[in-house]
Amino acid sequence: QVTLVESGGGLVQAGDSLRLSCAASGRTFSSYAMGWFRQAPGKKREFVAAISLGGGTSYYADSVKGRFTISRDNAKNTLYLQMNSLKPEDTAIYYCGARRTSLTTYAENYDYWGQGTQVTVSS
């Protein structure tokens, strides 16, 4: 079992940056592949980025590639999403997920989820 808590969301202007954090419980954080997903009103949950157990491999959605960076600090049991050059279309609730296997871009394959953190980008 793992408990995830996201933080770092807020209201920013287009072009600004935010860093989201996802704190995981326990001392087995390194046993999970992790991912960030987002969901805007009226839309399905959308893949954003994923990272392997040790942090050596990452994958990004085309819509955020070059602007967002996923990372993890296994010693601190924390996942991060650095978001730069934010756009209004990035507005959504951002969720972190954990999967006790290799990374995946499919939300239905994740085992645990946090409650989400709201990111709003104004123009």
Side-chain angles (χ1 to χ4, degrees):
Q1 289 288 107
V2 59
T3 299
L4 306 173
V5 180
E6 302 95 335
S7 62
L11 174 62
V12 298
Q13 294 181 321
D16 285 352
S17 297
L18 281 173
R19 189 177 78 160
L20 305 183
S21 297
C22 174
S25 65
R27 297 189 294 274
T28 60
F29 180 65
S30 62
S31 297
Y32 297 86
M34 302 292 295
W36 286 100
F37 292 76
R38 65 188 183 186
Q39 188 166 17
K43 296 183 178 180
K44 296 180 178 179
R45 188 165 296 189
E46 175 189 32
F47 169 75
V48 176
I51 191 167
S52 61
L53 279 67
T57 303
S58 59
Y59 186 79
Y60 298 90
D62 289 341
S63 60
V64 306
K65 192 174 299 181
R67 299 188 298 120
F68 291 9
T69 302
I70 188 171
S71 62
R72 64 192 298 165
D73 187 337
N74 288 345
K76 297 181 178 179
N77 290 350
T78 304
L79 175 75
Y80 302 98
L81 184 67
Q82 179 66 47
M83 305 186 294
N84 297 327
S85 302
L86 283 162
K87 304 175 180 179
E89 51 262 44
D90 295 320
T91 296
I93 299 175
Y94 283 71
Y95 300 89
C96 69
R99 185 167 188 255
R100 202 174 180 275
T101 55
S102 59
L103 68 82
T104 177
T105 63
Y106 296 100
E108 60 266 30
N109 294 143
Y110 282 76
D111 300 311
Y112 306 101
W113 294 96
Q115 83 292 334
T117 185
Q118 177 70 50
V119 172
T120 303
V121 185
S122 65
S123 60

